[in-house]
Amino acid sequence: YVSMTPNGDASKISSTVVVLSGGGGGARLAGALSGEAKGRQVIVVTNTGDDFEHLGLLICPDTDSVLYTLSGKIDQQRGWGRAEESWLVFEELKNIAGPAWFQVGDKDLALHLLRASLLSDGQGLVEATRALAKQLGVPDSVIVVPATESPVRTHVLTDQGRMAFQEYFVGQRCEPVLKDVIYEGVDAASPSQWLVDLLSQRGTREIDVVLGPSNPFLSLGPILDIPGMMALLRQQARRVVAISPIIGGRALKGPAAKIMSELGLPVSAAGWTLWMSERYPDLVDTWVWDEADEGQANSDALKSFDIRTTSTVMSDPAIARQFGAWLLEACASEC
Ligand code: GDP
Ligand code: CA
């Protein structure tokens, strides 16, 4: 594993930013940070709770979105899959009565085939992901590492029964009312060994951990609930910063706000902060909210929290990079 250190010599790297990420807001943030990294090493820890088998292939939606974002290959409009995609295989699948509920484009499929081939050759998920990142052209300064190699699969309990994550998210478009989330397999999982090694060989490096503005129930939970993960991050980090996915009482995309209200939580940056700090005690040092929510930061319940506000909407890559630069500065500044 030591040989997997990028750029050969870890001692030349002055600081490291570790980003925990789903496939949306987290992926965009990872892209923004890698653009502003300037000599820092960026490690993106991806959620594996969305991973599933389809057409006999292992599909890793969040890891793939991160790989596509970092290599500039993501379809920006859609927010997932490849830009300039074609759908010949998917059309033919439908013609021959194959499964049509999950869309797989031709270029995307090529990646799934390559991953399947690497895994069947005996590589682990981490090693295979590393090879895919290289093939796609993810910059050397960024390491993409799935949070764990043990199978963790997110299931949801809803008013329509229990279902696997993709059935809920894609099959049912998040319409069922969510009652609880289960990360199947998480109790037997452990953090990816490469991540443990990367963080433990820190030397004199400063390590900052950023929880991307990812869905706390569906993207961050399956990472943080891996036994040993919180302790690893906390032990190695100078500072842990969390970015709110809730802006002005709404999620920019996806079901985070809908789920919060279904679980009876106030849908606000404050509600997210209080819930996160109860669910993951003593993990986060600094909370980053969008400036739209500044007014809530003075409430009594939040007196002891270090809350910073700025414009956090990463509407295009240039604006995202500005946010990335701001964040790196905030990480380095005094609490
Ligand atoms: P998923 O795997 O596609 O669900 O993606 P993530 O969990 O990584 O991200 C989804 C969350 O990111 C949603 O709750 C969004 O509100 C949030 N999000 C997306 N884009 C942005 C952004 O530009 N800024 C902030 N602050 N949050 C964002
Ligand atoms: Ca996801």
PDB file of all heavy atoms in Angstrom, residues 72-107:
ATOM      1  N   GLY A  72     -13.543  15.873 -15.539  1.00  0.00           N
ATOM      2  CA  GLY A  72     -14.219  16.788 -16.465  1.00  0.00           C
ATOM      3  C   GLY A  72     -15.139  16.086 -17.439  1.00  0.00           C
ATOM      4  O   GLY A  72     -15.481  16.620 -18.490  1.00  0.00           O
ATOM      5  N   LYS A  73     -15.545  14.866 -17.132  1.00  0.00           N
ATOM      6  CA  LYS A  73     -16.337  14.088 -18.086  1.00  0.00           C
ATOM      7  C   LYS A  73     -17.812  13.986 -17.711  1.00  0.00           C
ATOM      8  O   LYS A  73     -18.605  13.356 -18.411  1.00  0.00           O
ATOM      9  CB  LYS A  73     -15.741  12.681 -18.209  1.00  0.00           C
ATOM     10  CG  LYS A  73     -14.369  12.677 -18.889  1.00  0.00           C
ATOM     11  CD  LYS A  73     -13.853  11.259 -19.077  1.00  0.00           C
ATOM     12  CE  LYS A  73     -12.751  11.177 -20.110  1.00  0.00           C
ATOM     13  NZ  LYS A  73     -11.524  11.913 -19.769  1.00  0.00           N
ATOM     14  N   ILE A  74     -18.196  14.591 -16.597  1.00  0.00           N
ATOM     15  CA  ILE A  74     -19.589  14.452 -16.153  1.00  0.00           C
ATOM     16  C   ILE A  74     -20.518  15.281 -17.041  1.00  0.00           C
ATOM     17  O   ILE A  74     -20.113  16.302 -17.596  1.00  0.00           O
ATOM     18  CB  ILE A  74     -19.747  14.866 -14.674  1.00  0.00           C
ATOM     19  CG1 ILE A  74     -21.097  14.396 -14.130  1.00  0.00           C
ATOM     20  CG2 ILE A  74     -19.590  16.390 -14.486  1.00  0.00           C
ATOM     21  CD1 ILE A  74     -21.084  13.941 -12.713  1.00  0.00           C
ATOM     22  N   ASP A  75     -21.729  14.824 -17.206  1.00  0.00           N
ATOM     23  CA  ASP A  75     -22.755  15.629 -17.875  1.00  0.00           C
ATOM     24  C   ASP A  75     -23.253  16.660 -16.861  1.00  0.00           C
ATOM     25  O   ASP A  75     -23.955  16.312 -15.912  1.00  0.00           O
ATOM     26  CB  ASP A  75     -23.904  14.730 -18.349  1.00  0.00           C
ATOM     27  CG  ASP A  75     -24.923  15.528 -19.163  1.00  0.00           C
ATOM     28  OD1 ASP A  75     -25.493  16.504 -18.613  1.00  0.00           O
ATOM     29  OD2 ASP A  75     -25.161  15.169 -20.321  1.00  0.00           O
ATOM     30  N   GLN A  76     -22.849  17.905 -17.043  1.00  0.00           N
ATOM     31  CA  GLN A  76     -23.151  18.958 -16.064  1.00  0.00           C
ATOM     32  C   GLN A  76     -24.655  19.169 -15.913  1.00  0.00           C
ATOM     33  O   GLN A  76     -25.137  19.394 -14.807  1.00  0.00           O
ATOM     34  CB  GLN A  76     -22.516  20.284 -16.501  1.00  0.00           C
ATOM     35  CG  GLN A  76     -21.036  20.174 -16.772  1.00  0.00           C
ATOM     36  CD  GLN A  76     -20.214  20.841 -15.672  1.00  0.00           C
ATOM     37  OE1 GLN A  76     -20.726  21.215 -14.629  1.00  0.00           O
ATOM     38  NE2 GLN A  76     -18.923  20.970 -15.917  1.00  0.00           N
ATOM     39  N   GLN A  77     -25.365  19.126 -17.026  1.00  0.00           N
ATOM     40  CA  GLN A  77     -26.806  19.378 -16.984  1.00  0.00           C
ATOM     41  C   GLN A  77     -27.525  18.329 -16.151  1.00  0.00           C
ATOM     42  O   GLN A  77     -28.265  18.630 -15.229  1.00  0.00           O
ATOM     43  CB  GLN A  77     -27.385  19.338 -18.412  1.00  0.00           C
ATOM     44  CG  GLN A  77     -28.088  20.618 -18.805  1.00  0.00           C
ATOM     45  CD  GLN A  77     -27.072  21.716 -19.103  1.00  0.00           C
ATOM     46  OE1 GLN A  77     -26.217  21.544 -19.973  1.00  0.00           O
ATOM     47  NE2 GLN A  77     -27.133  22.822 -18.381  1.00  0.00           N
ATOM     48  N   ARG A  78     -27.265  17.081 -16.523  1.00  0.00           N
ATOM     49  CA  ARG A  78     -27.954  15.973 -15.856  1.00  0.00           C
ATOM     50  C   ARG A  78     -27.452  15.806 -14.418  1.00  0.00           C
ATOM     51  O   ARG A  78     -28.197  15.445 -13.533  1.00  0.00           O
ATOM     52  CB  ARG A  78     -27.672  14.684 -16.629  1.00  0.00           C
ATOM     53  CG  ARG A  78     -28.931  13.941 -17.061  1.00  0.00           C
ATOM     54  CD  ARG A  78     -28.586  12.581 -17.668  1.00  0.00           C
ATOM     55  NE  ARG A  78     -27.881  12.663 -18.924  1.00  0.00           N
ATOM     56  CZ  ARG A  78     -26.703  12.069 -19.185  1.00  0.00           C
ATOM     57  NH1 ARG A  78     -26.087  11.370 -18.266  1.00  0.00           N
ATOM     58  NH2 ARG A  78     -26.141  12.197 -20.358  1.00  0.00           N
ATOM     59  N   GLY A  79     -26.163  16.062 -14.224  1.00  0.00           N
ATOM     60  CA  GLY A  79     -25.582  15.883 -12.906  1.00  0.00           C
ATOM     61  C   GLY A  79     -25.108  14.462 -12.648  1.00  0.00           C
ATOM     62  O   GLY A  79     -24.613  14.157 -11.574  1.00  0.00           O
ATOM     63  N   TRP A  80     -25.256  13.585 -13.599  1.00  0.00           N
ATOM     64  CA  TRP A  80     -24.724  12.222 -13.457  1.00  0.00           C
ATOM     65  C   TRP A  80     -24.372  11.696 -14.849  1.00  0.00           C
ATOM     66  O   TRP A  80     -24.813  12.253 -15.851  1.00  0.00           O
ATOM     67  CB  TRP A  80     -25.713  11.278 -12.761  1.00  0.00           C
ATOM     68  CG  TRP A  80     -27.067  11.183 -13.418  1.00  0.00           C
ATOM     69  CD1 TRP A  80     -28.155  11.937 -13.116  1.00  0.00           C
ATOM     70  CD2 TRP A  80     -27.468  10.301 -14.490  1.00  0.00           C
ATOM     71  NE1 TRP A  80     -29.202  11.592 -13.933  1.00  0.00           N
ATOM     72  CE2 TRP A  80     -28.810  10.578 -14.775  1.00  0.00           C
ATOM     73  CE3 TRP A  80     -26.817   9.298 -15.220  1.00  0.00           C
ATOM     74  CZ2 TRP A  80     -29.528   9.901 -15.772  1.00  0.00           C
ATOM     75  CZ3 TRP A  80     -27.524   8.620 -16.210  1.00  0.00           C
ATOM     76  CH2 TRP A  80     -28.864   8.922 -16.473  1.00  0.00           C
ATOM     77  N   GLY A  81     -23.579  10.661 -14.898  1.00  0.00           N
ATOM     78  CA  GLY A  81     -23.218  10.042 -16.173  1.00  0.00           C
ATOM     79  C   GLY A  81     -22.281  10.905 -17.005  1.00  0.00           C
ATOM     80  O   GLY A  81     -21.830  11.969 -16.580  1.00  0.00           O
ATOM     81  N   ARG A  82     -21.985  10.419 -18.200  1.00  0.00           N
ATOM     82  CA  ARG A  82     -21.000  11.049 -19.064  1.00  0.00           C
ATOM     83  C   ARG A  82     -21.606  12.117 -19.964  1.00  0.00           C
ATOM     84  O   ARG A  82     -22.714  11.949 -20.468  1.00  0.00           O
ATOM     85  CB  ARG A  82     -20.364   9.979 -19.974  1.00  0.00           C
ATOM     86  CG  ARG A  82     -19.509   8.955 -19.249  1.00  0.00           C
ATOM     87  CD  ARG A  82     -18.157   9.519 -18.891  1.00  0.00           C
ATOM     88  NE  ARG A  82     -17.475  10.069 -20.050  1.00  0.00           N
ATOM     89  CZ  ARG A  82     -16.550   9.430 -20.739  1.00  0.00           C
ATOM     90  NH1 ARG A  82     -16.181   8.226 -20.403  1.00  0.00           N
ATOM     91  NH2 ARG A  82     -15.964  10.005 -21.774  1.00  0.00           N
ATOM     92  N   ALA A  83     -20.837  13.191 -20.209  1.00  0.00           N
ATOM     93  CA  ALA A  83     -21.220  14.167 -21.231  1.00  0.00           C
ATOM     94  C   ALA A  83     -21.100  13.500 -22.598  1.00  0.00           C
ATOM     95  O   ALA A  83     -20.374  12.511 -22.747  1.00  0.00           O
ATOM     96  CB  ALA A  83     -20.295  15.376 -21.148  1.00  0.00           C
ATOM     97  N   GLU A  84     -21.804  14.031 -23.568  1.00  0.00           N
ATOM     98  CA  GLU A  84     -21.770  13.503 -24.945  1.00  0.00           C
ATOM     99  C   GLU A  84     -21.965  11.999 -24.957  1.00  0.00           C
ATOM    100  O   GLU A  84     -21.249  11.255 -25.619  1.00  0.00           O
ATOM    101  CB  GLU A  84     -20.457  13.885 -25.631  1.00  0.00           C
ATOM    102  CG  GLU A  84     -20.360  15.385 -25.874  1.00  0.00           C
ATOM    103  CD  GLU A  84     -18.952  15.844 -26.170  1.00  0.00           C
ATOM    104  OE1 GLU A  84     -18.218  15.122 -26.857  1.00  0.00           O
ATOM    105  OE2 GLU A  84     -18.580  16.933 -25.669  1.00  0.00           O
ATOM    106  N   GLU A  85     -22.948  11.596 -24.219  1.00  0.00           N
ATOM    107  CA  GLU A  85     -23.235  10.160 -24.076  1.00  0.00           C
ATOM    108  C   GLU A  85     -24.091   9.675 -25.248  1.00  0.00           C
ATOM    109  O   GLU A  85     -24.821  10.445 -25.861  1.00  0.00           O
ATOM    110  CB  GLU A  85     -23.977   9.949 -22.730  1.00  0.00           C
ATOM    111  CG  GLU A  85     -24.280   8.522 -22.335  1.00  0.00           C
ATOM    112  CD  GLU A  85     -23.032   7.668 -22.185  1.00  0.00           C
ATOM    113  OE1 GLU A  85     -22.422   7.336 -23.217  1.00  0.00           O
ATOM    114  OE2 GLU A  85     -22.689   7.295 -21.034  1.00  0.00           O
ATOM    115  N   SER A  86     -24.003   8.393 -25.567  1.00  0.00           N
ATOM    116  CA  SER A  86     -24.938   7.765 -26.511  1.00  0.00           C
ATOM    117  C   SER A  86     -25.608   6.599 -25.792  1.00  0.00           C
ATOM    118  O   SER A  86     -25.142   6.150 -24.744  1.00  0.00           O
ATOM    119  CB  SER A  86     -24.192   7.290 -27.761  1.00  0.00           C
ATOM    120  OG  SER A  86     -23.209   6.337 -27.395  1.00  0.00           O
ATOM    121  N   TRP A  87     -26.708   6.115 -26.339  1.00  0.00           N
ATOM    122  CA  TRP A  87     -27.567   5.186 -25.590  1.00  0.00           C
ATOM    123  C   TRP A  87     -27.925   3.945 -26.401  1.00  0.00           C
ATOM    124  O   TRP A  87     -28.990   3.364 -26.218  1.00  0.00           O
ATOM    125  CB  TRP A  87     -28.850   5.922 -25.141  1.00  0.00           C
ATOM    126  CG  TRP A  87     -28.523   7.120 -24.303  1.00  0.00           C
ATOM    127  CD1 TRP A  87     -28.282   8.393 -24.747  1.00  0.00           C
ATOM    128  CD2 TRP A  87     -28.334   7.155 -22.877  1.00  0.00           C
ATOM    129  NE1 TRP A  87     -27.964   9.221 -23.693  1.00  0.00           N
ATOM    130  CE2 TRP A  87     -27.998   8.484 -22.528  1.00  0.00           C
ATOM    131  CE3 TRP A  87     -28.427   6.182 -21.866  1.00  0.00           C
ATOM    132  CZ2 TRP A  87     -27.741   8.868 -21.214  1.00  0.00           C
ATOM    133  CZ3 TRP A  87     -28.182   6.570 -20.565  1.00  0.00           C
ATOM    134  CH2 TRP A  87     -27.836   7.900 -20.246  1.00  0.00           C
ATOM    135  N   LEU A  88     -27.027   3.549 -27.315  1.00  0.00           N
ATOM    136  CA  LEU A  88     -27.331   2.418 -28.200  1.00  0.00           C
ATOM    137  C   LEU A  88     -27.592   1.141 -27.424  1.00  0.00           C
ATOM    138  O   LEU A  88     -28.560   0.430 -27.686  1.00  0.00           O
ATOM    139  CB  LEU A  88     -26.156   2.183 -29.164  1.00  0.00           C
ATOM    140  CG  LEU A  88     -26.020   3.199 -30.294  1.00  0.00           C
ATOM    141  CD1 LEU A  88     -24.737   2.952 -31.068  1.00  0.00           C
ATOM    142  CD2 LEU A  88     -27.244   3.107 -31.198  1.00  0.00           C
ATOM    143  N   VAL A  89     -26.749   0.851 -26.462  1.00  0.00           N
ATOM    144  CA  VAL A  89     -26.899  -0.400 -25.710  1.00  0.00           C
ATOM    145  C   VAL A  89     -28.193  -0.369 -24.897  1.00  0.00           C
ATOM    146  O   VAL A  89     -28.947  -1.355 -24.861  1.00  0.00           O
ATOM    147  CB  VAL A  89     -25.687  -0.640 -24.783  1.00  0.00           C
ATOM    148  CG1 VAL A  89     -25.907  -1.868 -23.907  1.00  0.00           C
ATOM    149  CG2 VAL A  89     -24.417  -0.799 -25.600  1.00  0.00           C
ATOM    150  N   PHE A  90     -28.456   0.778 -24.280  1.00  0.00           N
ATOM    151  CA  PHE A  90     -29.653   0.906 -23.452  1.00  0.00           C
ATOM    152  C   PHE A  90     -30.925   0.746 -24.309  1.00  0.00           C
ATOM    153  O   PHE A  90     -31.874   0.062 -23.907  1.00  0.00           O
ATOM    154  CB  PHE A  90     -29.642   2.261 -22.737  1.00  0.00           C
ATOM    155  CG  PHE A  90     -30.772   2.440 -21.768  1.00  0.00           C
ATOM    156  CD1 PHE A  90     -30.891   1.600 -20.666  1.00  0.00           C
ATOM    157  CD2 PHE A  90     -31.714   3.433 -21.953  1.00  0.00           C
ATOM    158  CE1 PHE A  90     -31.940   1.761 -19.764  1.00  0.00           C
ATOM    159  CE2 PHE A  90     -32.752   3.608 -21.055  1.00  0.00           C
ATOM    160  CZ  PHE A  90     -32.866   2.769 -19.958  1.00  0.00           C
ATOM    161  N   GLU A  91     -30.925   1.340 -25.506  1.00  0.00           N
ATOM    162  CA  GLU A  91     -32.079   1.204 -26.413  1.00  0.00           C
ATOM    163  C   GLU A  91     -32.299  -0.270 -26.774  1.00  0.00           C
ATOM    164  O   GLU A  91     -33.424  -0.764 -26.763  1.00  0.00           O
ATOM    165  CB  GLU A  91     -31.868   2.024 -27.698  1.00  0.00           C
ATOM    166  CG  GLU A  91     -31.975   3.537 -27.497  1.00  0.00           C
ATOM    167  CD  GLU A  91     -33.268   3.956 -26.800  1.00  0.00           C
ATOM    168  OE1 GLU A  91     -34.327   3.385 -27.125  1.00  0.00           O
ATOM    169  OE2 GLU A  91     -33.209   4.836 -25.918  1.00  0.00           O
ATOM    170  N   GLU A  92     -31.201  -0.932 -27.078  1.00  0.00           N
ATOM    171  CA  GLU A  92     -31.329  -2.336 -27.464  1.00  0.00           C
ATOM    172  C   GLU A  92     -31.748  -3.211 -26.286  1.00  0.00           C
ATOM    173  O   GLU A  92     -32.506  -4.163 -26.437  1.00  0.00           O
ATOM    174  CB  GLU A  92     -30.015  -2.843 -28.087  1.00  0.00           C
ATOM    175  CG  GLU A  92     -30.073  -4.251 -28.632  1.00  0.00           C
ATOM    176  CD  GLU A  92     -31.187  -4.484 -29.666  1.00  0.00           C
ATOM    177  OE1 GLU A  92     -31.734  -3.509 -30.208  1.00  0.00           O
ATOM    178  OE2 GLU A  92     -31.525  -5.668 -29.892  1.00  0.00           O
ATOM    179  N   LEU A  93     -31.265  -2.840 -25.108  1.00  0.00           N
ATOM    180  CA  LEU A  93     -31.690  -3.564 -23.897  1.00  0.00           C
ATOM    181  C   LEU A  93     -33.206  -3.503 -23.756  1.00  0.00           C
ATOM    182  O   LEU A  93     -33.861  -4.501 -23.453  1.00  0.00           O
ATOM    183  CB  LEU A  93     -31.071  -2.900 -22.658  1.00  0.00           C
ATOM    184  CG  LEU A  93     -29.923  -3.564 -21.960  1.00  0.00           C
ATOM    185  CD1 LEU A  93     -29.473  -2.697 -20.784  1.00  0.00           C
ATOM    186  CD2 LEU A  93     -30.281  -4.969 -21.472  1.00  0.00           C
ATOM    187  N   LYS A  94     -33.742  -2.304 -23.979  1.00  0.00           N
ATOM    188  CA  LYS A  94     -35.192  -2.138 -23.878  1.00  0.00           C
ATOM    189  C   LYS A  94     -35.899  -2.972 -24.959  1.00  0.00           C
ATOM    190  O   LYS A  94     -36.911  -3.618 -24.687  1.00  0.00           O
ATOM    191  CB  LYS A  94     -35.580  -0.660 -24.001  1.00  0.00           C
ATOM    192  CG  LYS A  94     -35.211   0.139 -22.752  1.00  0.00           C
ATOM    193  CD  LYS A  94     -35.902   1.487 -22.703  1.00  0.00           C
ATOM    194  CE  LYS A  94     -35.201   2.502 -23.573  1.00  0.00           C
ATOM    195  NZ  LYS A  94     -35.704   3.874 -23.424  1.00  0.00           N
ATOM    196  N   ASN A  95     -35.335  -2.978 -26.168  1.00  0.00           N
ATOM    197  CA  ASN A  95     -35.923  -3.767 -27.267  1.00  0.00           C
ATOM    198  C   ASN A  95     -36.025  -5.242 -26.916  1.00  0.00           C
ATOM    199  O   ASN A  95     -36.963  -5.915 -27.319  1.00  0.00           O
ATOM    200  CB  ASN A  95     -35.077  -3.650 -28.550  1.00  0.00           C
ATOM    201  CG  ASN A  95     -35.207  -2.283 -29.181  1.00  0.00           C
ATOM    202  OD1 ASN A  95     -36.183  -1.567 -28.905  1.00  0.00           O
ATOM    203  ND2 ASN A  95     -34.240  -1.901 -30.002  1.00  0.00           N
ATOM    204  N   ILE A  96     -35.037  -5.723 -26.215  1.00  0.00           N
ATOM    205  CA  ILE A  96     -35.036  -7.162 -25.904  1.00  0.00           C
ATOM    206  C   ILE A  96     -35.510  -7.409 -24.476  1.00  0.00           C
ATOM    207  O   ILE A  96     -35.169  -8.412 -23.850  1.00  0.00           O
ATOM    208  CB  ILE A  96     -33.651  -7.809 -26.157  1.00  0.00           C
ATOM    209  CG1 ILE A  96     -32.565  -7.111 -25.324  1.00  0.00           C
ATOM    210  CG2 ILE A  96     -33.296  -7.778 -27.638  1.00  0.00           C
ATOM    211  CD1 ILE A  96     -31.192  -7.770 -25.426  1.00  0.00           C
ATOM    212  N   ALA A  97     -36.313  -6.441 -23.964  1.00  0.00           N
ATOM    213  CA  ALA A  97     -36.970  -6.595 -22.666  1.00  0.00           C
ATOM    214  C   ALA A  97     -35.994  -6.701 -21.500  1.00  0.00           C
ATOM    215  O   ALA A  97     -36.269  -7.365 -20.502  1.00  0.00           O
ATOM    216  CB  ALA A  97     -37.933  -7.790 -22.678  1.00  0.00           C
ATOM    217  N   GLY A  98     -34.851  -6.038 -21.643  1.00  0.00           N
ATOM    218  CA  GLY A  98     -33.916  -5.944 -20.513  1.00  0.00           C
ATOM    219  C   GLY A  98     -34.424  -4.921 -19.515  1.00  0.00           C
ATOM    220  O   GLY A  98     -35.414  -4.240 -19.766  1.00  0.00           O
ATOM    221  N   PRO A  99     -33.766  -4.794 -18.382  1.00  0.00           N
ATOM    222  CA  PRO A  99     -34.218  -3.843 -17.363  1.00  0.00           C
ATOM    223  C   PRO A  99     -34.048  -2.394 -17.845  1.00  0.00           C
ATOM    224  O   PRO A  99     -32.963  -2.000 -18.256  1.00  0.00           O
ATOM    225  CB  PRO A  99     -33.300  -4.125 -16.164  1.00  0.00           C
ATOM    226  CG  PRO A  99     -32.102  -4.798 -16.753  1.00  0.00           C
ATOM    227  CD  PRO A  99     -32.543  -5.501 -17.999  1.00  0.00           C
ATOM    228  N   ALA A 100     -35.142  -1.621 -17.787  1.00  0.00           N
ATOM    229  CA  ALA A 100     -35.107  -0.248 -18.313  1.00  0.00           C
ATOM    230  C   ALA A 100     -35.222   0.785 -17.205  1.00  0.00           C
ATOM    231  O   ALA A 100     -35.185   1.978 -17.468  1.00  0.00           O
ATOM    232  CB  ALA A 100     -36.230  -0.050 -19.317  1.00  0.00           C
ATOM    233  N   TRP A 101     -35.333   0.363 -15.973  1.00  0.00           N
ATOM    234  CA  TRP A 101     -35.563   1.337 -14.894  1.00  0.00           C
ATOM    235  C   TRP A 101     -34.303   2.119 -14.548  1.00  0.00           C
ATOM    236  O   TRP A 101     -34.385   3.226 -14.059  1.00  0.00           O
ATOM    237  CB  TRP A 101     -36.119   0.650 -13.641  1.00  0.00           C
ATOM    238  CG  TRP A 101     -35.150  -0.316 -12.998  1.00  0.00           C
ATOM    239  CD1 TRP A 101     -34.951  -1.613 -13.336  1.00  0.00           C
ATOM    240  CD2 TRP A 101     -34.240  -0.029 -11.923  1.00  0.00           C
ATOM    241  NE1 TRP A 101     -33.969  -2.171 -12.552  1.00  0.00           N
ATOM    242  CE2 TRP A 101     -33.518  -1.209 -11.670  1.00  0.00           C
ATOM    243  CE3 TRP A 101     -33.967   1.103 -11.145  1.00  0.00           C
ATOM    244  CZ2 TRP A 101     -32.538  -1.294 -10.684  1.00  0.00           C
ATOM    245  CZ3 TRP A 101     -32.986   1.019 -10.175  1.00  0.00           C
ATOM    246  CH2 TRP A 101     -32.290  -0.175  -9.936  1.00  0.00           C
ATOM    247  N   PHE A 102     -33.158   1.546 -14.852  1.00  0.00           N
ATOM    248  CA  PHE A 102     -31.897   2.235 -14.557  1.00  0.00           C
ATOM    249  C   PHE A 102     -31.178   2.532 -15.867  1.00  0.00           C
ATOM    250  O   PHE A 102     -30.812   1.616 -16.602  1.00  0.00           O
ATOM    251  CB  PHE A 102     -31.030   1.366 -13.636  1.00  0.00           C
ATOM    252  CG  PHE A 102     -29.825   2.081 -13.098  1.00  0.00           C
ATOM    253  CD1 PHE A 102     -29.932   2.931 -12.010  1.00  0.00           C
ATOM    254  CD2 PHE A 102     -28.577   1.902 -13.693  1.00  0.00           C
ATOM    255  CE1 PHE A 102     -28.813   3.607 -11.516  1.00  0.00           C
ATOM    256  CE2 PHE A 102     -27.460   2.566 -13.204  1.00  0.00           C
ATOM    257  CZ  PHE A 102     -27.584   3.422 -12.114  1.00  0.00           C
ATOM    258  N   GLN A 103     -30.992   3.805 -16.161  1.00  0.00           N
ATOM    259  CA  GLN A 103     -30.395   4.191 -17.436  1.00  0.00           C
ATOM    260  C   GLN A 103     -28.882   4.047 -17.389  1.00  0.00           C
ATOM    261  O   GLN A 103     -28.239   4.587 -16.480  1.00  0.00           O
ATOM    262  CB  GLN A 103     -30.720   5.650 -17.743  1.00  0.00           C
ATOM    263  CG  GLN A 103     -32.170   5.901 -18.063  1.00  0.00           C
ATOM    264  CD  GLN A 103     -32.447   7.390 -18.129  1.00  0.00           C
ATOM    265  OE1 GLN A 103     -32.773   8.003 -17.125  1.00  0.00           O
ATOM    266  NE2 GLN A 103     -32.288   7.971 -19.305  1.00  0.00           N
ATOM    267  N   VAL A 104     -28.352   3.347 -18.368  1.00  0.00           N
ATOM    268  CA  VAL A 104     -26.887   3.238 -18.474  1.00  0.00           C
ATOM    269  C   VAL A 104     -26.486   3.631 -19.894  1.00  0.00           C
ATOM    270  O   VAL A 104     -26.891   2.987 -20.861  1.00  0.00           O
ATOM    271  CB  VAL A 104     -26.419   1.795 -18.201  1.00  0.00           C
ATOM    272  CG1 VAL A 104     -24.893   1.745 -18.173  1.00  0.00           C
ATOM    273  CG2 VAL A 104     -26.955   1.279 -16.887  1.00  0.00           C
ATOM    274  N   GLY A 105     -25.720   4.697 -20.013  1.00  0.00           N
ATOM    275  CA  GLY A 105     -25.238   5.127 -21.322  1.00  0.00           C
ATOM    276  C   GLY A 105     -24.065   4.271 -21.776  1.00  0.00           C
ATOM    277  O   GLY A 105     -23.473   3.528 -20.993  1.00  0.00           O
ATOM    278  N   ASP A 106     -23.722   4.396 -23.062  1.00  0.00           N
ATOM    279  CA  ASP A 106     -22.667   3.546 -23.629  1.00  0.00           C
ATOM    280  C   ASP A 106     -21.301   3.800 -22.982  1.00  0.00           C
ATOM    281  O   ASP A 106     -20.579   2.869 -22.639  1.00  0.00           O
ATOM    282  CB  ASP A 106     -22.557   3.792 -25.144  1.00  0.00           C
ATOM    283  CG  ASP A 106     -23.848   3.409 -25.869  1.00  0.00           C
ATOM    284  OD1 ASP A 106     -24.590   2.551 -25.339  1.00  0.00           O
ATOM    285  OD2 ASP A 106     -24.114   3.975 -26.940  1.00  0.00           O
ATOM    286  N   LYS A 107     -20.943   5.076 -22.829  1.00  0.00           N
ATOM    287  CA  LYS A 107     -19.631   5.389 -22.250  1.00  0.00           C
ATOM    288  C   LYS A 107     -19.573   4.988 -20.783  1.00  0.00           C
ATOM    289  O   LYS A 107     -18.558   4.486 -20.300  1.00  0.00           O
ATOM    290  CB  LYS A 107     -19.336   6.888 -22.389  1.00  0.00           C
ATOM    291  CG  LYS A 107     -19.102   7.306 -23.820  1.00  0.00           C
ATOM    292  CD  LYS A 107     -18.826   8.803 -23.920  1.00  0.00           C
ATOM    293  CE  LYS A 107     -18.573   9.161 -25.384  1.00  0.00           C
ATOM    294  NZ  LYS A 107     -18.434  10.605 -25.571  1.00  0.00           N
TER     295      LYS A 107
END
